[in-house]
Structure formats: structure tokens, C-alpha cells
Amino acid sequence: TQLLEQSPQFLSIQEGENLTVYCNSSSVFSSLQWYRQEPGEGPVLLVTVVTGGEVKKLKRLTFQFGDARKDSSLHITAAQTGDTGLYLCAGIRAYNTDKLIFGTGTRLQVFP
Amino acid sequence: NAGVTQTPKFRVLKTGQSMTLLCAQDMNHEYMYWYRQDPGMGLRLIHYSVGEGTTAKGEVPDGYNVSRLKKQNFLLGLESAAPSQTSVYFCASTHNPRQGVFYEQYFGPGTRLTVT
């Protein structure tokens, strides 16, 4: 079983719609990162959240770290075709900061 | 500045053959990682290294070996390829974490491996 579960696995929406992607775990993480991956490329970091309850905004993207540091969400407002890609959350455990644990991924397709 | 590069980009192997994937980074990063990516499973860590001459097992190390003889290079070897190792392989690097803060991982473009 994957330590970090993302939902939904797939999302297909029209341009202009809003969406939320969830990243859930039963374990506590000291911090959490979100990456976006485009076809044929490696993932690229979007944001790092480190404090329980923290909210970070990156233009139309809003990231939240759960109060208990077990979950996170990514909300996109007024999606654009350029938002299309695979979104990955990745957590860092407090007792092992050498590596990331990646979530299962959410594949987003935004149609014009 | 090339960042993280991987060779080769594509490879087809027959069952039982061996090969080595090369990862190189020019950012003077201490930490390097090898992941495999399969549909619906995100990225799974195979092996990683926290410095030249060190290696450690990740989540799915069986069937793979690694070496970090130089700081800038991290090699992933498959001694006897199996169809279950068909996947896309990504290398990544980062600075060592300080005070619990994990820095951005920089990824290579990936190697698509098919084992028949």
C-alpha cells in the first residue's frame, strides 16, 4: 500500500473550471512538497509547505497543509490548458529527512 | 548548466540482459536518487546516495544495484533484466537537508526501458 494516496487519480475538466486534488496519509510528515510533471519530462517543484495549517498561493494555485500534517490539498482556480499534467505530492518524514515519499499522482487534463 | 542528465533516453532489453543507466548532475548536489515511475503508482524510490561513495536502499531495490564513485554521477545497474522492470526511470539530485528543511529535487528527463 502507498503511504500517500492522492485523489482523484484522473481529472478531466474544461478551461475555466475549478478543481481540488487531495493528498492523504495516516502518517505525519514534517513537510510536504507538490510537483508537476509534463509528458516526457521529469517533475518540477511547485511548492513546499512546512507548518500545519499553512496555506501557500502560487498565482491560481492554492496549497494547504493539514493541521495534523497528515494531508494536503491543491486547489486550482479557473483552470487553463497549461495546467495539464501529472500532479504529485511528496512528503518528508521527521525521522528520515534524506528522502521523499511520493504520492500516487493525479493526472489532470484541461480542455479548451 | 545542464542540470540533471540521463543516458540513454530509451532502451529495449531482452529478459536476462544487463544494462547500466547513467545519471550526471552539474549542480554540486550531495544527494542523488533513482526512481521508477509506473502508471497509477507515482514515483517509487529504488536506491539513493547521500554523498560520494555511499548508497542506500529505497522502497523497491530488488533487482537493481547502484554506484556513486564520483559526486556528480550516479549509476543504476540491472544485472538480469525482467519484464517487471519495464518502466520509466528518473534520476534526481538535491542539496543535503539542513535543519529538517528538504530542498527541491531536480529531476532528469527520464529513461524509458522496455524488457521483452
Side-chain angles (χ1 to χ4, degrees):
Chain A
T1 36
Q2 208 89 7
L3 202 56
L4 272 170
E5 295 285 342
Q6 288 184 237
S7 61
Q9 191 175 357
F10 299 99
L11 200 49
S12 182
I13 61 171
Q14 294 246 267
E15 220 170 13
E17 289 184 34
N18 301 333
L19 67 114
T20 302
V21 176
Y22 299 94
C23 173
N24 294 304
S25 176
S26 57
S27 300
V28 175
F29 292 94
S30 63
S31 58
L32 197 134
Q33 297 181 328
W34 283 91
Y35 288 79
R36 181 168 69 202
Q37 183 180 14
E38 299 191 17
E41 298 181 11
V44 175
L45 180 69
L46 294 173
V47 77
T48 301
V49 284
V50 297
T51 307
E54 182 177 2
V55 176
K56 276 193 175 177
K57 293 197 177 202
L58 191 68
K59 295 182 182 177
R60 296 173 295 99
L61 277 61
T62 302
F63 303 85
Q64 183 159 11
F65 200 12
D67 291 339
R69 295 183 171 186
K70 291 183 179 181
D71 55 84
S72 181
S73 64
L74 157 60
H75 182 79
I76 302 180
T77 304
Q80 299 177 356
T81 55
D83 296 326
T84 292
L86 178 68
Y87 289 81
L88 295 158
C89 63
I92 300 102
R93 306 287 285 274
Y95 57 83
N96 188 343
T97 56
D98 288 344
K99 55 188 180 179
L100 288 173
I101 296 169
F102 277 87
T104 47
T106 295
R107 189 165 296 281
L108 172 65
Q109 178 80 51
V110 182
F111 291 96
Chain B
N1 236 7
V4 180
T5 57
Q6 292 182 233
T7 51
K9 285 188 167 39
F10 302 94
R11 187 73 188 267
V12 179
L13 285 179
K14 291 190 191 309
T15 298
Q17 287 185 320
S18 63
M19 76 163 295
T20 300
L21 283 67
L22 171 64
C23 175
Q25 53 95 4
D26 60 3
M27 296 172 281
N28 201 33
H29 286 163
E30 295 85 1
Y31 284 34
M32 295 186 75
Y33 304 83
W34 275 107
Y35 296 93
R36 59 176 291 170
Q37 186 171 42
D38 303 293
M41 304 192 76
L43 288 164
R44 292 185 293 169
L45 183 63
I46 304 171
H47 286 281
Y48 65 104
S49 168
V50 299
E52 183 179 321
T54 75
T55 63
K57 292 181 180 179
E59 188 185 350
V60 288
D62 294 342
Y64 305 94
N65 57 73
V66 287
S67 64
R68 183 104 181 264
L69 299 180
K70 293 183 180 180
K71 186 177 184 179
Q72 63 268 33
N73 296 336
F74 196 27
L75 279 63
L76 178 70
L78 285 74
E79 288 187 349
S80 180
S84 61
Q85 294 177 302
T86 292
S87 188
V88 182
Y89 291 84
F90 286 96
C91 175
S93 70
T94 189
H95 288 298
N96 54 316
R98 289 186 169 82
Q99 296 182 328
V101 176
F102 198 94
Y103 295 100
E104 174 178 5
Q105 282 199 4
Y106 292 84
F107 285 83
T111 295
R112 186 172 293 275
L113 175 67
T114 302
V115 183
T116 61

